[in-house]
Amino acid sequence: GLAIAPVATFDPGQLVALAETAMKATYVFSWLMIGLTLAIAALFVSTITARKNHHLLLDVWTRLLTDDARPVPFLVFAGSRGSLSDETMNRIQRDRRLAHRVIHLEGLADAEIAWLYRECAFTLYPSFYEGWGLPVTESLDFGKVCIASDRTSLPEAGEGLAVLLDPTDLALWTERVRDIWDDDESRHR
């Protein structure tokens, strides 16, 4: 039979507030799509740039979509395009599977990012190096499990609560994403 994925609740007041900011219609449409599916999404809040390691997550999602018949969460990139982001964005657009599973949102206000944290299933942060890694701490503050890189300041930002992994180990990241996605209880520890 056909498996039906759970649907997130979406507060219509948030849509009204978003519309009042006079953003483009396509942006509002993206939020509508996210509002209907965000509970089945992993969130990565970060500028899109090479050191943030977005390609690892695209590799993980490609592997999940290729090797697994089970449902795969959406992957939400929330952040502006930085230097060397064209390759990342082009990769998402070229790969039909990724284009249907990866969503990029930019130009978000703090309240909108907070809403994403509240509504997502879990967060990711595979960066190669950081000064601090605020999104890891923010994720934990919202009670979300964060799978993060074990490099530089990120273990400290994770306060001993983040799942820390080598940012070059595709197999391990794929396994942990699958484990956390499959185990609802582990997402609410």
Side-chain angles (χ1 to χ4, degrees):
L2 181 65
I4 298 176
V7 177
T9 58
F10 185 71
D11 179 359
Q14 290 171 327
L15 179 60
V16 170
L18 180 63
E20 288 174 355
T21 63
M23 297 197 177
K24 299 183 295 188
T26 54
Y27 186 73
V28 173
F29 179 71
S30 294
W31 270 94
L32 277 170
M33 286 177 43
I34 294 289
L36 296 174
T37 61
L38 199 59
I40 56 171
L43 175 65
F44 183 18
V45 176
S46 169
T47 299
I48 297 177
T49 188
R51 76 177 172 90
K52 301 291 187 165
N53 203 13
H54 287 76
H55 280 273
L56 172 75
L57 297 181
L58 295 178
D59 291 343
V60 167
W61 257 252
T62 297
R63 188 174 274 191
L64 291 172
L65 291 163
T66 302
D67 298 343
D68 211 330
R70 295 177 287 181
V72 175
F74 284 88
L75 175 58
V76 177
F77 290 159
S80 61
R81 296 176 191 207
S83 61
L84 306 174
S85 65
D86 288 346
E87 182 182 341
T88 303
M89 301 311 296
N90 289 336
R91 181 174 172 194
I92 294 167
Q93 293 167 357
R94 279 192 319 264
D95 186 324
R96 200 170 59 105
R97 294 165 303 174
L98 291 175
H100 291 291
R101 225 52 191 165
V102 179
I103 300 165
H104 174 234
L105 298 173
E106 59 186 331
L108 303 174
D110 289 346
E112 294 164 329
I113 292 171
W115 183 83
L116 289 171
Y117 277 124
R118 277 194 307 275
E119 299 299 322
C120 72
F122 60 97
T123 67
L124 304 152
Y125 208 80
S127 184
F128 289 117
Y129 62 90
E130 289 298 321
W132 174 252
L134 184 60
V136 174
T137 304
E138 289 175 334
S139 171
L140 297 171
D141 189 47
F142 280 94
K144 301 299 177 172
V145 171
C146 182
I147 306 173
S149 169
D150 64 359
R151 304 280 169 90
T152 64
S153 63
L154 294 174
E156 185 179 355
E159 303 171 9
L161 300 172
V163 176
L164 301 173
L165 304 176
D166 178 340
T168 64
D169 191 336
L170 173 61
L172 189 55
W173 276 79
T174 304
E175 180 182 328
R176 288 298 173 266
V177 166
R178 175 50 69 198
D179 290 347
I180 289 173
W181 175 243
D182 284 345
D183 184 4
D184 187 59
E185 207 171 291
S186 72
R187 292 195 310 262
H188 300 94
R189 57 182 170 135

